[in-house]
């Protein structure tokens, strides 16, 4: 058992101060469903833990506003997934949470912490027996030429091929969500699209948060197109499994039944939540026929680069996109 100090601040400002006092070995604890796991594996060895999971200012969420949906970073995934407004008017958001992990995990996990969950790569979690540039920069990558069935086919050109594991971020990306942050230098807001980093030459740097900075809330612009949305996920089993391929789709139609606006985000197949503008262009201005949906799926993976064992995810991912487009269209025209 490794010893660490524990603090439970009463405000966000106190939490930021505690992070600064604790130094680089300090970790935030929200729901604990990721941190505890990594600590048991020895991947995370914090010298201090700052518990923000009970802060009232982070716990709530509001979907009643006319301009935006607002989610406190420590709102529980299960509670948000069951929100009546989301389920009726923004089904892709509700589905991305309801299809994640297991009921037990969703009851504990938070929507902010979910955005920052670390990779499920077995080599990353396997410890020192396996080289991993994400765990120890410069040590190499055991997945290259190894068992890479669960690894990325998009964005894997750098030093790491691990796939981003989350679902919620993928759906938020399709809705142009924004994040309110707070840190030692005060408050700032960024696009969700700017949170996750490409592995490039620094795979251990997974996000763009500054030192001592935390997510306070998530904001999603309201849109009537939300009803024509879907989160479609394919996995090895129906519960507690990460996506082999997923897609979040949001569609808007003009008065002639043609697609006026399309947003497509991919999950499970890329090193970060992945927006596919090529797939979007394939359907905007067109009637969404079966053929058009298939072409969009193929366009989404035109630049994919498979490894040794994951080439099947390219064809699977294309089919997932096509299926998601058809479902979103059915919801938008029903």
């Amino acid at each position: 058992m490794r010893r660490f100090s524990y603090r439970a601040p009463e405000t966000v400002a106190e939490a930021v101060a505690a992070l600064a006092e604790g130094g680089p070995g300090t970790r935030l604890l929200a729901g604990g469903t990721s941190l505890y796991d990594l600590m048991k594996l020895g991947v995370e060895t914090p010298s201090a833990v700052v518990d923000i999971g009970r802060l009232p200012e982070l716990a709530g969420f509001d979907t009643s506003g006319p301009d935006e949906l607002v989610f406190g970073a420590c709102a529980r995934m299960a509670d948000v997934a069951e929100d009546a407004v989301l389920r009726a008017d923004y089904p892709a958001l509700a589905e991305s949470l309801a299809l994640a992990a297991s009921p037990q995990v969703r009851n504990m996990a938070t929507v902010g912490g979910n955005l920052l969950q670390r990779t499920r790569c077995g080599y990353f979690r396997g410890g020192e027996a396996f080289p991993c540039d994400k765990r120890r920069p410069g040590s190499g990558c055991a997945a290259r030429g190894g068992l890479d069935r669960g690894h990325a086919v998009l964005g894997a050109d750098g030093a790491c091929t691990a796939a981003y594991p989350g679902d919620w971020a993928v759906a938020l990306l399709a809705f142009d969500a924004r994040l309110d942050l707070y840190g030692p230098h005060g408050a700032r807001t960024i696009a969700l699209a700017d949170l996750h980093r490409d592995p490039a030459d620094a795979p251990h740097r997974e996000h763009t948060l500054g030192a001592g900075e935390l997510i306070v809330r998530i904001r999603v612009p309201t849109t009537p197109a939300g009803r024509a949305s879907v989160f479609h996920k394919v996995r090895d089993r129906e519960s507690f499994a990460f996506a082999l391929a997923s897609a979040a789709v949001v569609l808007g139609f003009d008065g002639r039944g043609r697609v006026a606006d399309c947003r497509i985000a991919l999950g499970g197949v890329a090193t970060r939540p992945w927006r596919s503008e090529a797939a979007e262009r394939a359907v905007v201005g067109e009637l969404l026929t079966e053929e058009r949906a298939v072409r969009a799926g193929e366009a989404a993976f035109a630049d994919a680069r498979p490894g040794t064992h994951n080439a099947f995810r390219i064809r699977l991912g294309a089919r997932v996109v096509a299926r998601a487009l058809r479902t979103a269209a059915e919801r938008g025209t029903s």
Side-chain angles (χ1 to χ4, degrees), residues 20 89 120 145:
D89 297 338
R120 298 288 161 166

Side-chain angles (χ1 to χ4, degrees), residues 278-279 282-283 289-301 318 321-322 325:
V283 298
T289 62
E290 175 72 22
E291 181 182 4
R292 185 66 58 180
V294 170
R295 288 183 183 176
E298 293 171 347
F301 288 85
V321 170
L325 281 166

Side-chain angles (χ1 to χ4, degrees), residues 15-144:
V16 169
L19 284 172
E21 292 170 10
T26 304
R27 296 292 182 267
L28 284 175
L29 172 67
T33 57
S34 180
L35 181 62
Y36 286 156
D37 184 26
L38 293 173
M39 289 174 68
K40 288 187 291 184
L41 292 171
V43 175
E44 287 282 7
T45 56
S47 58
V49 171
V50 177
D51 188 348
I52 61 171
R54 299 176 182 84
L55 293 182
E57 58 191 303
L58 300 182
F61 64 96
D62 182 6
T63 59
S64 65
D67 300 317
E68 61 183 11
L69 315 172
V70 182
F71 307 94
C74 287
R76 303 294 171 179
M77 290 173 61
D79 295 335
V80 176
E82 290 299 315
D83 181 74
V85 173
L86 283 198
R87 294 177 68 180
D89 297 338
Y90 302 87
L93 293 177
E95 290 163 351
S96 71
L97 293 171
L99 293 174
S102 67
Q104 294 88 341
V105 170
R106 294 194 296 271
N107 284 336
M108 290 296 297
T110 64
V111 294
N114 184 264
L115 298 179
L116 299 175
Q117 65 177 305
R118 304 199 69 184
T119 177
R120 298 288 161 166
C121 171
Y123 296 112
F124 169 79
R125 291 170 173 260
E128 296 301 321
F130 304 102
C132 174
D133 284 320
K134 187 181 288 290
R135 190 181 62 248
R136 179 180 290 181
S139 64
C141 176
R144 292 191 178 277

Side-chain angles (χ1 to χ4, degrees), residues 262-277:
C262 176
R263 304 171 195 178
I264 300 174
L266 310 177
V269 293
T271 54
R272 56 177 171 80
W274 194 270
R275 183 81 173 260
S276 180
E277 295 181 357

Side-chain angles (χ1 to χ4, degrees), residues 96 99-101 114 117 164-172 231 233 243 246:
S96 71
L99 293 174
N114 184 264
Q117 65 177 305
Y164 175 77
D167 299 323
W168 172 236
V170 176
L172 290 174
F231 181 80
K233 178 179 181 178
S246 66

Side-chain angles (χ1 to χ4, degrees), residues 176-227:
D176 295 325
R178 300 185 67 78
L179 307 177
D180 292 337
L181 313 178
Y182 189 78
H185 303 294
R188 68 184 179 113
T189 298
I190 66 170
L192 181 280
D194 295 329
L195 175 64
H196 299 97
R197 295 170 54 97
D198 287 315
D201 297 321
H204 62 291
R205 298 177 62 188
E206 297 173 344
H207 55 71
T208 60
L209 297 183
E213 196 169 43
L214 55 86
I215 299 172
V216 175
R217 69 186 61 85
I218 301 162
R219 294 189 286 115
V220 179
T222 57
T223 171
R227 292 193 175 188

